[in-house]
Amino acid sequence: MFRVIGALLIIIGCSTVGRVKNIADKRTICLVEEFIRALQMMICELEFHRIPLPDLCLFVSERTDGAISVYFSVLEEELSDQTMPDVRCCSDVAIKKCCDIPTQMKALCNLMAKSLGMFGVAGQVEQLRYVKRAAENLLESIHKRYEQHGRSVQTLWVCAGVTLAVILI
């Protein structure tokens, strides 16, 4: 009886690992989509209202959700607190304080921070469009990986669980 219960627990545990990997990919997809929305808001605000960078970050943080909102909120705080803010350093601090951002998103945030405050408005808008294209490419690659490998990873972990259960019984 205990062997059967143990075998079931192994199968359930291994299938859960596969499911967790799929959930992580889905969460990254949602974050990248939110980041793209934030970039589009920033582009529009810079083109039409030309608001200062801390106010722009506050504007975006109020209109986004989750980790992206926290990132822009912390970025705004860091930019406001310093007399001569370096956007890249402020972005690094914001990334460290916002631990929910996946590695791929950290690279996009750093790419965005490199361009902000370094050029005129037209240059910043062009750089934000470049970052947006990079985010869209990342989103496309994650979608592709999720569609191709999502089920197979989950199935592989279930098979690993069944194999372990058979070996142990």
Side-chain angles (χ1 to χ4, degrees):
M1 181 67 175
F2 287 120
R3 286 182 181 221
V4 172
I5 292 172
L8 287 174
L9 289 174
I10 290 172
I11 293 170
I12 290 170
C14 287
S15 64
T16 302
V17 170
R19 184 92 172 118
V20 166
K21 291 194 179 291
N22 286 343
I23 290 171
D25 277 347
K26 189 67 174 168
R27 184 179 166 283
T28 303
I29 287 170
C30 292
L31 284 173
V32 174
E33 288 172 345
E34 189 72 18
F35 188 70
I36 291 170
R37 272 191 47 230
L39 289 171
Q40 186 59 44
M41 281 188 269
M42 292 175 80
I43 291 168
C44 291
E45 286 299 311
L46 278 176
E47 284 181 330
F48 299 113
H49 297 120
R50 299 175 189 251
I51 60 177
L53 189 55
D55 295 339
L56 180 64
C57 291
L58 182 62
F59 175 82
V60 171
S61 74
E62 291 171 348
R63 286 160 179 79
T64 54
D65 297 320
I68 302 301
S69 177
V70 172
Y71 168 77
F72 280 106
S73 177
V74 173
L75 183 60
E76 183 271 330
E77 289 172 10
E78 290 295 320
L79 289 169
S80 297
D81 289 345
Q82 298 180 4
T83 54
M84 293 294 291
D86 178 18
V87 183
R88 289 158 73 181
C89 293
C90 293
S91 177
D92 288 339
V93 170
I95 288 171
K96 287 177 185 171
K97 286 186 179 178
C98 184
C99 57
D100 291 346
I101 296 179
T103 306
Q104 299 111 330
M105 287 293 302
K106 290 177 183 177
L108 287 174
C109 291
N110 286 331
L111 185 61
M112 179 197 68
K114 274 198 260 185
S115 65
L116 291 175
M118 300 295 284
F119 306 103
V121 173
Q124 287 183 26
V125 168
E126 188 59 37
Q127 286 297 110
L128 286 173
R129 284 190 177 124
Y130 173 76
V131 174
K132 184 180 172 204
R133 283 191 298 272
E136 288 168 345
N137 290 340
L138 175 65
L139 181 64
E140 184 179 321
S141 69
I142 294 172
H143 263 300
K144 191 180 219 181
R145 183 181 72 213
Y146 181 75
E147 290 171 2
Q148 289 178 348
H149 300 277
R151 285 279 183 209
S152 59
V153 167
Q154 195 169 354
T155 305
L156 179 68
W157 279 98
V158 169
C159 291
V162 169
T163 304
L164 277 172
V166 168
I167 289 172
L168 294 176
I169 290 182

